[in-house]
Amino acid sequence: MLLALKDEHPALLKIKKENPSEADLWLLNSCTVKNPAEDHFRNSIKKAQEENKKVVLAGCVPQAQPRQDYLKGLSIIGVQQIDRVVEVVEETIKGHSVRLLGQKKDNGKRLGGARLDLPKIRKNPLIEIISINTGCLNACAYCKTKHARGNLASYPIDELVDRAKQSFQEGVCEIWLTSEDTGAYGRDIGTSLPTLLWKLVEVIPEGAMLRLGMTNPPYILEHLEEMAKILNHPRVYAFLHIPVQSASDSVLMEMKREYCMADFKRVVDFLKKKVPGITIATDIICGFPGETDQDFQETVKLVEEYKFPSLFINQFYPRPGTPAAKMEQVPTQVKKQRTKDLSRVFHSYNPYDHKIGEKQKVLVTEESFDSKFYVAHNQFYEQVLVPKNPSFMGKMVEVDIYESGKHFMKGLPVLDAKVYTPSISKPLAKGEVSGLTKEFRNRLGIHPNLTSHTPAATLHNSASSRMGLQLQRLHQDCVLRAAVGLALVALLFTIFTKVCN
């Protein structure tokens, strides 16, 4: 992500340059899940330094290992401090090195991340991404994210519900709940994920949808009955991401995953029975230290049995500082071969062929990468490509499924199709800052008739997942600092969610 600061009008935030070389400051976000992601981050820092750019670093890599040699002398914004990004940027531009890595606490109790009620810029004006907690309860042997994000810290239910309400009032029609482990939500504050979900369901307008994020098996076992009821709700996608990582109990034990295959199958089998048609997505790591050929074959059999429509296959990378990095490693060539073999199994079946001829209601939220279709999702969060009719965007449409592929279906609107419009406001303009009160906008000099022509920010995804942004001189007034700063906070949230979630 790139940031260019210039001395121009203080109240506008606009993209001026797409060329990173023309930026004054680079703001680089990071993910510590895999070695390649950190390697890319390190290379970006090196390139910035070669071009004599000011640099601010964010995300899990500097939070977990701030003393790394390649981070020396650079400004760092911690994962719980991103609402102070403007402060760090200002000081860095002056030539100072700033490091904000502390943990936020209230009466000695660890808090979550940035406040939920702060303004933000949505990558997609129709989709709101809400983090319900940070950190986790597990101590997986291969995971480095825990080093950066610490133990579980959940946001209060009322704050999450208020954020959802505000989002719908701003034209959002789909909410994603995310975290390192959504299933663990509330254990630190005396509540639970089902309790939160029932409260959220109450405020979802007709025609809008809620999607749950990843949950590890141990923390959903005790809530299976309630979760099945929630996933059957017409305004909740019948979709759940439950990472298995390996089908071998011995490997799971070495991973310190705190469940066995019987637990995973119990969760999946129960939900498939109680929520007909549910989509179960899962993750698998190939070549974890100590994984034998027999262990791997058990994983292959699991995929062949369940035919997961959404499967994330990862070759194991030892992360420095984790217990798994000290274990005896599986040879690289073996890991690569197992990854290829499992990918071959995954691509041997087509999960959607039997749905050709069905009528489905789908919610349209974005444009396809090739710009030929609009992308929609049905009740099971299966991807359905539909014709690019502008009247469909942000709406729920009934379609006939006429074609299927490995990762999608194609649908045509049924004759005289009724378009279901969520009972919510018109979406914000692309790049417009959300959460600003009328008084706030007046103090910023932002007028309603300007927002559609001069949005607060326009987001661009480059191949390197970096963003070019020209930021006019920052006004010292705290209201302006908050608005501009949270535009940057929004960018950090967007990139981090895309990379890590």
Side-chain angles (χ1 to χ4, degrees):
M1 187 159 62
L2 307 167
L3 184 69
L5 283 88
K6 301 291 181 184
D7 298 333
E8 297 182 28
H9 193 285
L12 293 179
L13 193 68
K14 298 168 68 179
I15 295 283
K16 289 288 187 180
K17 304 293 183 184
E18 292 187 23
N19 185 351
S21 297
E22 297 180 14
D24 295 322
L25 180 145
W26 289 18
L27 176 56
L28 302 170
N29 202 17
S30 63
C31 175
T32 191
V33 172
K34 300 178 185 177
N35 280 17
E38 185 170 345
D39 291 342
H40 178 75
F41 180 61
R42 185 187 295 109
N43 292 337
S44 296
I45 294 172
K46 182 179 179 181
K47 184 175 180 181
Q49 292 171 326
E50 289 173 348
E51 297 189 23
N52 296 315
K53 304 298 182 183
K54 302 289 185 182
V55 179
V56 174
L57 308 177
C60 291
V61 173
Q63 179 75 53
Q65 292 181 294
R67 293 185 177 86
Q68 288 272 22
D69 287 343
Y70 70 93
L71 304 180
K72 285 183 178 179
L74 301 178
S75 291
I76 295 175
I77 184 79
V79 295
Q80 282 197 301
Q81 307 288 342
I82 61 173
D83 49 351
R84 298 177 65 184
V85 64
V86 168
E87 179 183 341
V88 177
V89 166
E90 286 182 321
E91 291 302 313
T92 303
I93 285 293
K94 294 174 185 176
H96 303 151
S97 177
V98 182
R99 296 196 164 199
L100 299 182
L101 294 166
Q103 297 288 327
K104 293 182 178 180
K105 294 184 178 181
D106 181 17
N107 294 323
K109 181 178 177 59
R110 181 177 180 272
L111 299 176
R115 284 168 41 199
L116 291 173
D117 60 351
L118 294 172
K120 67 184 293 186
I121 298 172
R122 297 186 181 96
K123 179 182 177 183
N124 182 335
L126 297 173
I127 298 175
E128 168 72 350
I129 302 173
I130 303 178
S131 176
I132 64 175
N133 53 263
T134 63
C136 65
L137 294 175
N138 278 14
C140 298
Y142 55 81
C143 182
K144 201 168 183 179
T145 305
K146 180 71 172 279
H147 292 230
R149 301 200 162 252
N151 290 321
L152 181 69
S154 303
Y155 288 101
I157 287 179
D158 58 347
E159 291 183 18
L160 293 165
V161 172
D162 286 345
R163 185 66 195 185
K165 287 180 179 178
Q166 177 196 315
S167 301
F168 290 129
Q169 290 166 0
E170 293 175 340
V172 163
C173 63
E174 187 171 288
I175 284 184
W176 299 355
L177 300 186
T178 68
S179 79
E180 283 76 41
D181 188 346
T182 58
Y185 172 81
R187 285 174 171 249
D188 57 320
I189 58 174
T191 186
S192 67
L193 179 62
T195 302
L196 167 65
L197 294 176
W198 284 124
K199 290 292 184 181
L200 286 172
V201 162
E202 293 176 5
V203 302
I204 301 175
E206 183 178 359
M209 296 294 291
L210 173 69
R211 192 197 79 173
L212 301 183
M214 184 272 288
T215 178
N216 284 311
Y219 306 117
I220 193 175
L221 275 168
E222 63 190 74
H223 303 306
L224 283 178
E225 288 282 357
E226 282 301 293
M227 289 301 298
K229 293 176 184 176
I230 291 165
L231 291 168
N232 274 309
H233 194 283
R235 296 176 195 176
V236 178
Y237 286 118
F239 166 90
L240 202 57
H241 179 188
I242 313 172
V244 64
Q245 306 301 9
S246 173
S248 165
D249 283 346
S250 62
V251 174
L252 291 174
M253 185 178 298
E254 290 298 316
M255 289 180 171
K256 299 190 184 302
R257 290 290 289 168
E258 300 184 4
Y259 60 87
C260 61
M261 271 311 300
D263 294 331
F264 177 80
K265 287 188 172 184
R266 179 185 166 199
V267 170
V268 175
D269 291 345
F270 183 91
L271 292 177
K272 288 173 73 72
K273 178 180 178 181
K274 296 291 185 177
V275 189
I278 187 173
T279 296
I280 299 293
T282 195
D283 300 351
I284 288 173
I285 296 174
C286 293
F288 185 80
E291 182 186 67
T292 65
D293 287 338
Q294 180 58 41
D295 294 328
F296 176 67
Q297 287 307 314
E298 290 179 25
T299 300
V300 170
K301 290 176 183 177
L302 179 75
V303 174
E304 291 174 337
E305 177 183 356
Y306 284 90
K307 292 183 169 56
F308 301 103
S310 182
L311 178 62
F312 304 93
I313 303 170
N314 303 287
Q315 180 182 318
F316 174 74
Y317 290 96
R319 303 296 290 121
T322 62
K326 301 174 183 177
M327 299 176 182
E328 184 176 351
Q329 303 297 307
V330 173
T332 300
Q333 198 56 43
V334 175
K335 290 190 292 186
K336 288 182 178 180
Q337 188 59 50
R338 288 176 183 172
T339 303
K340 290 180 181 178
D341 290 345
L342 193 60
S343 296
R344 192 178 302 113
V345 173
F346 173 60
H347 286 283
S348 69
Y349 57 86
N350 293 315
Y352 306 128
D353 285 355
H354 67 286
K355 298 200 171 189
I356 294 176
E358 288 186 358
K359 281 185 170 56
Q360 299 180 356
K361 287 183 181 178
V362 299
L363 180 59
V364 184
T365 56
E366 56 190 318
E367 188 176 70
S368 63
F369 286 118
D370 61 8
S371 300
K372 295 180 180 179
F373 300 91
Y374 280 163
V375 177
H377 291 90
N378 61 18
Q379 182 68 35
F380 310 107
Y381 202 69
E382 296 164 336
Q383 183 171 269
V384 180
L385 303 179
V386 299
K388 288 181 65 176
N389 183 335
S391 67
F392 292 165
M393 187 58 73
K395 310 296 194 304
M396 195 168 283
V397 186
E398 189 172 17
V399 299
D400 284 317
I401 302 300
Y402 68 91
E403 185 180 329
S404 71
K406 178 63 181 177
H407 303 286
F408 65 89
M409 290 170 274
K410 290 183 181 178
L412 289 173
V414 301
L415 192 63
D416 300 322
K418 180 180 179 181
V419 177
Y420 298 81
T421 303
S423 53
I424 50 181
S425 306
K426 182 179 178 180
L428 298 178
K430 177 83 170 178
E432 186 175 352
V433 179
S434 78
L436 298 185
T437 63
K438 184 177 181 180
E439 177 184 5
F440 209 102
R441 289 176 180 277
N442 289 339
R443 293 188 68 180
L444 288 174
I446 299 175
H447 302 288
N449 62 336
L450 291 178
T451 55
S452 62
H453 304 291
T454 55
T458 305
L459 302 179
H460 294 269
N461 283 332
S462 68
S464 61
S465 296
R466 301 181 299 186
M467 298 188 175
L469 173 67
Q470 177 160 32
L471 182 66
Q472 279 54 338
R473 177 184 293 275
L474 300 175
H475 195 285
Q476 295 303 309
D477 182 273
C478 64
V479 175
L480 177 59
R481 289 165 60 88
V484 174
L486 284 151
L488 301 182
V489 170
L491 296 180
L492 288 177
F493 268 132
T494 299
I495 295 294
F496 183 80
T497 303
K498 180 180 178 181
V499 172
C500 292
N501 211 22

